[in-house]
Amino acid sequence: MVEQTNEVLRQLRQIVDNAKAVPMSASCMVNRAEVLALIDQAADALNSDLGEAQRVTATSLETLERAQEEAAQIIASAEEKAQFLAGQTPVMELARKKATQLEAKALADAEALRREADAYVDARIASFEAGLAKTMSQVRTMRDRLASRSALDDTSTRALPRFEG
């Protein structure tokens, strides 16, 4: 179609090139009917070319949209397959096994640390208990001495009650 438009424009140029020059001016004389007929042919050819171009553009857009949809489907399928394959590889299995081992070790370490902390706290409490027992023994000895020296256990006196522990 473009060839037809180009041919009409070439003929118009040839008519102007071959036209008789008007003396003493840049103008020339051409056959009005012949030029108008060629201009009409050019306009028809351009309209035809424009219609063809619009049809091709619409077809191209539809083709492009279909291609983009197909590409999106292919990409989605490939990503899905890649995720599946990544989950099945020996590296992934090794990573899962290593993660399980690390988790078990971390739990064992935490349990050992808890037992160690409990043992430390128990030792400190036992030390405190021993100190208290020693202090209680000393207090009891002092009260016994005081009671025997001052007869505080006599019923006539009002001594504090004795702690029997």
Side-chain angles (χ1 to χ4, degrees):
M1 287 288 166
V2 175
E3 297 85 22
Q4 184 180 3
T5 303
N6 285 335
E7 176 59 26
V8 171
L9 290 173
R10 188 193 61 72
Q11 289 174 7
L12 275 171
R13 178 181 260 310
Q14 188 177 15
I15 288 174
V16 173
D17 281 344
N18 295 334
K20 288 184 182 179
V22 175
M24 308 278 275
S25 82
S27 299
C28 65
M29 290 178 43
V30 292
N31 183 322
R32 179 180 296 169
E34 192 178 341
V35 170
L36 288 175
L38 285 173
I39 289 173
D40 288 341
Q41 285 179 10
D44 290 343
L46 281 173
N47 284 334
S48 176
D49 289 347
L50 182 60
E52 179 66 17
Q54 288 174 338
R55 187 189 64 73
V56 167
T57 301
T59 303
S60 296
L61 288 175
E62 290 172 5
T63 304
L64 179 62
E65 287 173 359
R66 279 196 310 269
Q68 287 174 336
E69 289 173 7
E70 188 176 331
Q73 289 173 351
I74 290 170
I75 289 170
S77 175
E79 287 175 347
E80 201 174 289
K81 188 168 186 171
Q83 284 182 342
F84 173 77
L85 291 175
Q88 302 302 315
T89 62
V91 172
M92 187 65 165
E93 290 300 318
L94 183 62
R96 284 187 183 128
K97 186 176 179 182
K98 185 72 172 173
T100 302
Q101 291 171 349
L102 287 173
E103 181 182 20
K105 184 179 182 327
L107 289 173
D109 289 350
E111 179 62 23
L113 187 60
R114 185 190 60 78
R115 273 190 252 115
E116 188 178 320
D118 286 351
Y120 174 78
V121 169
D122 186 53
R124 299 304 298 164
I125 290 173
S127 174
F128 181 65
E129 181 182 31
L132 282 177
K134 185 176 179 181
T135 303
M136 286 297 294
S137 171
Q138 290 173 349
V139 167
R140 209 174 289 124
T141 301
M142 290 193 258
R143 287 194 75 200
D144 286 344
R145 285 184 190 163
L146 187 62
S148 67
R149 184 176 79 192
S150 301
L152 292 177
D153 285 338
D154 189 359
T155 56
S156 63
T157 63
R158 294 187 162 197
L160 292 174
R162 292 208 171 257
F163 176 73
E164 301 297 327

